[in-house]
Amino acid sequence: MQIFENYSLKNLNTFGINVSSRYFLACSSPEEIAEFLSIPAYKSAPKLILGGGSNILFTKNFDGVVLKNNLKGIEQIKEDEDFYYVKSGAGENWHQLVMYCIKHNFAGVENLSLIPGNVGAGPMQNIGAYGVELKEVFFELEALNIETGSLERFNNSDCQFGYRESIFKHKAKNQYIITSVTLRLTKKPVYKISYGAIEKELETMGIKELSIEAISKAVCTIRSSKLPDPSKIGNAGSFFKNPVVSNEQFNALKSAYPEISGYKNSETETKLAAGWLIEQCGWKGKSIGDAGVHKNQALVLVNYANASGKEIYDLSQKVLDSVKEKFGVQLEREVNIF
């Protein structure tokens, strides 16, 4: 085990923010993580578990230990009459797991294609896209208890999933390190193509017969057309959550802004498109220094060159304030701030 001091994190976060951590190490097994956690010198130090670095904004150096989760491996562990069960190391790339499932005709994650980041971050955020959330295919995960060093299992209900939420962002925050995730994938696909532009893209592709592979390709094409490549322009994907408002508030907004769109979230609530709200406030394509709002998708904040994390954070606050002022809607950041 090699522990580095004053380690640069610039190439380990997709915003490309030039910060460093007081200590850094990469672990490739649960045993290695447990061994590190048992070292008294680091027991009380602040800890940050880093996966793909795609859902994080550093606003300053991290005065603690950054542990890079490099736990690998994907395998089908069992099947029953209706489902396949696929277990993945938390350090695997999420899209590569999706491609594994597509290749083996395991259905359920095709709409979640090309979401950046690693597998371990999936249940923390309850990642979702195009009408599907991780909780719909999630079976269980294993996580190391940071305090005890023991490995614990969490099933679907244990994780307390919500919209981009889980127990790991609240009650169990900073208490566990996710080591593996097991998905339950159906043998009988249920195609979801009504959300977003999937149906239109499938028509453009000339698809006559639906398949999980075709849906995955359509999603990848749509995402690639809207979202900048982090290797070319620093970003963390969607920076803001789509807000959920009461039906009464939505109806009032619809009356004032007939072109506003909403999606039923429950019997009493409607989910709004945060990108549309931001665009109506004039932010799409705008920048302040090297921090900007992407020209093709207003949900995405970008680092055009050498923006600091604080500059991007300050821009996000201006966006939040303007949406609140114009629409009376409070947006929330999806990206984790450090």
Side-chain angles (χ1 to χ4, degrees):
M1 179 187 302
Q2 187 171 10
I3 300 175
F4 299 91
E5 293 190 42
N6 301 317
Y7 192 87
S8 174
L9 302 175
K10 183 174 182 177
N11 294 326
L12 296 176
N13 71 96
T14 57
F15 262 119
I17 303 299
N18 189 18
V19 294
S20 61
S21 62
R22 182 72 179 86
Y23 302 104
F24 175 89
L25 77 157
C27 291
S28 301
S29 71
E31 293 77 18
E32 196 172 11
I33 297 175
E35 179 187 350
F36 165 73
L37 294 175
S38 69
I39 301 174
Y42 303 106
K43 194 78 173 178
S44 61
K47 298 174 183 66
L48 171 62
I49 314 308
L50 194 62
S54 63
N55 198 48
I56 193 168
L57 175 65
F58 287 107
T59 59
K60 57 187 176 182
N61 293 333
F62 188 77
D63 189 23
V65 181
V66 169
L67 191 155
K68 182 74 168 67
N69 188 329
N70 282 341
L71 277 65
K72 303 291 187 179
I74 301 174
E75 61 176 334
Q76 179 192 338
I77 57 172
K78 64 177 180 177
E79 66 177 286
D80 55 32
E81 185 177 347
D82 298 311
F83 299 101
Y84 299 105
Y85 297 80
V86 176
K87 183 176 182 178
S88 171
E92 287 284 355
N93 175 270
W94 171 259
H95 182 64
Q96 293 307 310
L97 173 59
V98 173
M99 291 297 96
Y100 174 94
C101 295
I102 299 293
K103 178 181 177 181
H104 291 85
N105 204 32
F106 302 160
V109 289
E110 53 276 5
N111 290 54
L112 304 180
S113 298
L114 215 59
I115 292 179
N118 287 2
V119 171
M124 292 185 69
Q125 291 288 119
N126 183 26
I127 57 174
Y130 298 101
V132 174
E133 291 186 330
L134 177 69
K135 67 179 182 180
E136 298 169 42
V137 296
F138 178 89
F139 181 65
E140 68 176 12
L141 63 79
E142 293 176 319
L144 270 173
N145 185 308
I146 292 176
E147 181 64 29
T148 66
S150 61
L151 199 62
E152 300 179 19
R153 277 191 170 87
F154 291 76
N155 62 27
N156 200 306
S157 61
D158 292 334
C159 291
Q160 300 177 20
F161 290 126
Y163 175 54
R164 303 297 179 269
E165 298 284 359
S166 74
I167 191 173
F168 302 103
K169 294 184 73 175
H170 297 285
K171 185 178 178 181
K173 186 175 182 179
N174 299 326
Q175 296 179 34
Y176 292 91
I177 299 173
I178 296 173
T179 58
S180 71
V181 176
T182 300
L183 305 180
R184 188 179 72 166
L185 302 155
T186 184
K187 294 181 176 181
K188 301 173 183 177
V190 177
Y191 303 122
K192 297 184 178 181
I193 62 172
S194 61
Y195 197 98
I198 297 179
E199 194 167 8
K200 183 178 179 181
E201 182 60 35
L202 288 168
E203 290 177 5
T204 301
M205 292 166 59
I207 299 299
K208 304 297 183 183
E209 186 173 345
L210 282 178
S211 67
I212 61 174
E213 182 178 14
I215 292 174
S216 175
K217 288 182 178 178
V219 168
C220 288
T221 299
I222 296 167
R223 291 186 69 93
S224 296
S225 69
K226 291 184 176 182
L227 303 176
D229 183 345
S231 67
K232 298 177 181 177
I233 302 176
N235 75 92
S238 297
F239 197 92
F240 304 98
K241 299 179 184 179
N242 287 321
V244 176
V245 300
S246 68
N247 290 342
E248 290 77 14
Q249 186 177 2
F250 173 69
N251 291 334
L253 287 167
K254 187 74 171 176
S255 177
Y257 306 95
E259 67 275 23
I260 195 172
S261 60
Y263 304 90
K264 181 179 178 181
N265 191 64
S266 70
E267 292 300 321
T268 60
E269 296 177 321
T270 300
K271 184 184 293 183
L272 305 178
W276 185 88
L277 299 174
I278 295 167
E279 185 173 348
Q280 298 309 303
C281 292
W283 284 107
K284 190 174 183 180
K286 293 293 182 65
S287 61
I288 300 176
D290 282 339
V293 179
H294 194 252
K295 63 180 181 179
N296 294 335
Q297 174 52 270
L299 270 180
V300 179
L301 300 190
V302 295
N303 177 9
Y304 283 114
N306 297 305
S308 69
K310 185 178 184 305
E311 288 171 331
I312 292 171
Y313 179 87
D314 289 346
L315 173 60
S316 75
Q317 188 61 51
K318 292 180 185 295
V319 171
L320 291 175
D321 292 343
S322 63
V323 170
K324 179 68 174 178
E325 181 179 355
K326 184 176 180 68
F327 296 103
V329 174
Q330 183 64 60
L331 295 184
E332 291 183 54
R333 298 176 181 89
E334 185 174 328
V335 171
N336 297 300
I337 310 296
F338 284 90

